[in-house]
Amino acid sequence: MPRIAQHQVDDSSLEFREAYFLNPTAESVEVTQNTILHNPSTFTPTLDPFPAEFFLVTNGTYAATSIMTLPMPGIHAKKAVNASIEQEVIQVSDLDALGDYAVAVMNNENITTALVGKTKLHLGKLPTQHIKFNSTSTYKGMFSSFGFIGL
C-alpha cells in the first residue's frame, strides 16, 4: 500500500491560478496563492495539512535553498480540488532566493517552481500512509503577461 499511495500522489499535479506576494518586510511576505490540485486517480484520499518548501526550479534543477515554507492546507484529493493559501504572513527563508524568484518572474515567459514536503495520507479504513509531496508547476511569468515577447 505505501508504494501505491506514493505513486498516486506523484501522479497528481498543482495548477497555479494566481499568486500574490504582498506587504513585504525584511523577514516576511503576505502570500495568497490560488491553486487547484488535480488527482487523476479513482481514489480520493485525504492529505493532512503540512509545511511545504517553495523552490524556484531553473532548467530542471531546484534552487539550493527554498524561498519560504508554505502552509499547505488539508486536502481531500478529488479529481480537481482547491488547495489555496489566503493572506498568510510567511517568513522568508532566504532573501536571495526570493530575489531570484522575483527576477525570474519579471524576465521569463514561464516560471517553474516546486513544493516539497511530507504529510500523511488517509483513505477510508486503510492504515495511514506517510508520503512525500513533491510537485513542480510551470506557469506564466510577467514577461508574457505584459506582452513583451518579441520586443
Side-chain angles (χ1 to χ4, degrees):
M1 176 64 185
R3 282 191 210 164
I4 294 170
Q6 184 64 58
H7 179 70
Q8 297 295 321
V9 171
D10 292 344
D11 284 348
S12 68
S13 63
L14 280 176
E15 173 189 356
F16 283 84
R17 308 291 291 179
E18 302 177 294
Y20 300 102
F21 294 87
L22 304 171
N23 303 319
T25 70
E27 296 88 27
S28 67
V29 64
E30 181 182 299
V31 175
T32 294
Q33 194 169 1
N34 295 316
T35 59
I36 296 173
L37 176 73
H38 294 278
N39 174 20
S41 173
T42 57
F43 299 104
T44 59
T46 299
L47 302 178
D48 286 350
F50 65 99
E53 298 294 321
F54 181 63
F55 289 90
L56 178 64
V57 179
T58 306
N59 298 324
T61 302
Y62 287 35
T65 58
S66 71
I67 299 166
M68 61 187 68
T69 302
L70 297 173
M72 291 298 292
I75 301 166
H76 183 83
K78 301 174 188 171
K79 288 294 179 194
V81 65
N82 185 336
S84 297
I85 299 167
E86 297 290 331
Q87 298 177 322
E88 291 275 343
V89 176
I90 307 295
Q91 297 299 307
V92 175
S93 303
D94 187 304
L95 284 174
D96 290 334
L98 179 59
D100 292 344
Y101 173 75
V103 168
V105 167
M106 295 300 293
N107 290 332
N108 293 293
E109 181 178 356
N110 295 301
I111 306 301
T112 300
T113 56
L115 288 172
V116 178
K118 294 179 182 179
T119 189
K120 295 177 184 174
L121 179 144
H122 309 275
L123 184 60
K125 294 185 178 187
L126 294 172
T128 298
Q129 299 298 314
H130 296 268
I131 54 105
K132 296 176 185 173
F133 186 89
N134 186 345
S135 180
T136 58
S137 300
T138 301
Y139 45 94
K140 297 287 183 191
M142 298 295 286
F143 186 77
S144 64
S145 298
F146 288 119
F148 294 137
I149 298 171
L151 293 180

